[in-house]
Amino acid sequence: AQTVPSVRNIVLVHGLFADGSCWSDVIGRLQAAGLNATAVQNPLTTLAEAVAVTQRVLARPRALVLCHRATA
């Protein structure tokens, strides 16, 4: 049996050629389950700026990170 983590904050990170709105359906489901869900809204400018934005969101306490990457 798997142990359910006590994490209440979920951070969703989108991949290339998308923005945080791609997680809107998932966020709704997670919030309905009583979790705090946030999608990182990367600036889509430079990798360094995207990393900085993501790091600020991850500075929040006890967050589980789910990532999505674009496929070619």
Side-chain angles (χ1 to χ4, degrees), residues 13-16 23 67-72:
V13 182
H14 63 80
L16 297 173
W23 292 110
C67 299
H68 172 265
R69 67 176 182 88
T71 58

Side-chain angles (χ1 to χ4, degrees), residues 7-66:
V7 173
R8 305 300 305 165
N9 300 317
I10 308 292
V11 177
L12 302 160
V13 182
H14 63 80
L16 297 173
F17 310 114
D19 66 8
S21 67
C22 67
W23 292 110
S24 60
D25 290 338
V26 174
I27 288 173
R29 292 180 194 154
L30 292 170
Q31 289 174 339
L35 298 168
N36 302 313
T38 303
V40 172
Q41 189 61 36
N42 285 329
L44 301 176
T45 52
T46 67
L47 177 59
E49 289 177 359
V51 169
V53 169
T54 302
Q55 286 175 330
R56 283 194 296 272
V57 173
L58 294 177
R60 297 176 184 162
R62 297 194 63 147
L64 174 66
V65 180
L66 303 175

